[in-house]
Amino acid sequence: MAESGSPRPFPTWLKVAATVFVAVLVPVYGKRYGPANFLWFSDIALFLTVAALWLESKLLVSIAAVGTMLLEIGWNIDFVLQLTGKIHYFGLSDYMLDPGIPVFVRALSLFHVPLPFLWLWMLHRLRYDRRAVVIQTIFAWIVLPATFALGPRENVNWVYGFGPEPQRYMPPWSHLLLLMVLFPTLVYMPSHLLLTKLFPPRPPTARNKAAKSSKA
């Protein structure tokens, strides 16, 4: 929940709009891609964001941001490059230009565009919870083996290779273990350091100081 002295709650219209969007996305994605699709880190982060809006939870939005912000920025860069120059930079958004996927389904994936900005705005209001990096790391160490169990056909969270085809440079389990090291070191920790710098804890207000004094 929002801490005492934090800004006023998030507007109701935003909470409702985010909830309606997810209520539309889930059945459409579920029918098109199957339930395994919801194990992608970006989809999990979207669900966490909606929950964070309603609960005004800095921990939930911090987990979503520290775990996925760099990936979402990469997705946006890749998408813009493809739109402007047909450059396949990361390959994260290749499906957005796939004519075999209905336009409405691809349009739903545009949630990737505002998410980083929404997280920054939410964290500006609630501040960053430093516990997020540890929780997200533990969570990833659960999700990655779970998505590995789905098999190479799904390749959710790139557990079988960075691309549509499984990698063949090392045994599959070695690639999984490598990911379990790379995500915390190259994604979560840099994000944690940046968010800690951008959104340090607010200094205690006079009201909070008085409340702590009364408990002493």
Side-chain angles (χ1 to χ4, degrees):
M1 301 296 290
E3 60 187 14
S4 178
S6 64
R8 69 180 184 277
F10 300 123
T12 302
W13 69 262
L14 179 59
K15 299 175 181 179
V16 173
T19 304
V20 171
F21 175 79
V22 168
V24 173
L25 178 142
V26 167
V28 173
Y29 269 26
K31 181 178 180 179
R32 176 75 190 187
Y33 301 115
N37 183 80
F38 299 117
L39 287 175
W40 279 98
F41 285 131
S42 57
D43 289 77
I44 295 172
L46 175 63
F47 300 148
L48 284 176
T49 303
V50 175
L53 282 170
W54 283 105
L55 299 174
E56 294 161 19
S57 168
K58 71 176 183 178
L59 178 59
L60 291 182
V61 69
S62 296
I63 293 171
V66 80
T68 322
M69 179 171 288
L70 289 183
L71 301 177
E72 294 295 341
I73 292 173
W75 190 97
N76 278 279
I77 293 173
D78 185 69
F79 184 48
V80 170
L81 289 175
Q82 291 201 49
L83 287 178
T84 56
K86 304 295 184 182
I87 301 173
H88 294 259
Y89 194 63
F90 298 120
L92 297 175
S93 63
D94 285 355
Y95 65 94
M96 292 296 287
L97 301 181
D98 184 350
I101 301 176
V103 173
F104 179 67
V105 177
R106 284 181 279 163
L108 288 175
S109 285
L110 290 174
F111 76 83
H112 293 283
V113 176
L115 265 188
F117 304 101
L118 178 60
W119 289 333
L120 291 173
W121 176 71
M122 293 173 69
L123 290 172
H124 173 70
R125 296 168 69 89
L126 297 177
R127 317 311 286 178
Y128 174 66
D129 193 319
R130 298 184 182 187
R131 297 174 295 173
V133 67
V134 175
I135 296 174
Q136 173 59 30
T137 298
I138 296 173
F139 183 64
W141 288 345
I142 296 172
V143 172
L144 288 172
T147 53
F148 184 85
L150 297 174
R153 183 175 178 275
E154 299 290 347
N155 196 24
V156 174
N157 295 317
W158 312 293
V159 290
Y160 281 92
F162 298 106
E165 299 297 328
Q167 60 80 31
R168 305 197 183 278
Y169 300 105
M170 62 181 70
W173 274 102
S174 298
H175 178 74
L176 172 64
L177 293 174
L178 179 63
L179 277 188
M180 294 175 72
V181 174
L182 291 180
F183 271 113
T185 56
L186 299 184
V187 179
Y188 306 156
M189 187 53 65
S191 299
H192 170 72
L193 296 175
L194 176 63
L195 295 174
T196 299
K197 183 72 173 180
L198 290 176
F199 307 107
R202 286 191 179 89
T205 63
R207 181 179 177 182
N208 289 340
K209 288 180 179 178
K212 290 181 179 179
S213 298
S214 65
K215 293 179 180 179

